[in-house]
Amino acid sequence: MFTAFLIKYAEIGIKGKNRHLFEEALAKQIKYALKRCEGEFKVPRTQGRIYVDALSDFDYDETVENLKTVFGISGICPVKYVEDEGFEKLSEEIVAYMDEVYQD
């Protein structure tokens, strides 16, 4: 179901003009950790965010466990990309997902 992860980091976010160097180092360590996982991944960085995009099938639990070993990661958020078809379609998908995950 999930096709990507948003990687959250803590102290790197408060760095100054050399922040990009720390982000690059973290992305490099993420790539290294993902080599132990089945599947193919891409690690793009955009505007203070680091993502892990799955390019092929992967084992979710194995991937998360390997990402947890990377020093500097404070959170791993699963992401599902959807086509932009307007707010109404997005809200329908979110409500359907919430009904599926949270039966109560």
Side-chain angles (χ1 to χ4, degrees), residues 7 23 26-28 30-32 34 41-46 49-53 55 67:
I7 304 299
E23 289 176 343
L26 180 58
K28 184 177 178 181
I30 290 170
K31 290 175 188 177
Y32 181 77
L34 290 172
F41 301 93
K42 183 172 73 169
V43 183
R45 296 182 313 123
T46 59
R49 301 256 190 254
I50 298 176
Y51 293 93
V52 173
D53 294 332
L55 303 176
L67 287 172

Side-chain angles (χ1 to χ4, degrees), residues 9-62:
Y9 49 82
E11 296 85 20
I12 295 174
I14 61 171
K15 298 295 182 191
K17 294 180 181 178
N18 61 350
R19 176 174 153 177
H20 70 281
L21 298 173
F22 291 95
E23 289 176 343
E24 286 175 16
L26 180 58
K28 184 177 178 181
Q29 290 302 312
I30 290 170
K31 290 175 188 177
Y32 181 77
L34 290 172
K35 287 181 181 180
R36 298 184 298 246
C37 301
E38 279 189 43
E40 191 177 339
F41 301 93
K42 183 172 73 169
V43 183
R45 296 182 313 123
T46 59
Q47 299 180 353
R49 301 256 190 254
I50 298 176
Y51 293 93
V52 173
D53 294 332
L55 303 176
S56 64
D57 290 337
F58 68 100
D59 183 333
Y60 177 87
D61 294 327
E62 176 189 40

Side-chain angles (χ1 to χ4, degrees), residues 1-5 44 51-54 79-83 93:
M1 171 182 276
F2 298 110
T3 57
F5 298 95
Y51 293 93
V52 173
D53 294 332
V79 174
K80 178 183 176 189
Y81 291 114
V82 295
E83 291 292 323
E93 287 191 34

Side-chain angles (χ1 to χ4, degrees), residues 83 85-94:
E83 291 292 323
E85 298 177 20
F87 181 76
E88 292 300 321
K89 178 70 174 165
L90 178 62
S91 62
E92 288 172 11
E93 287 191 34
I94 291 171

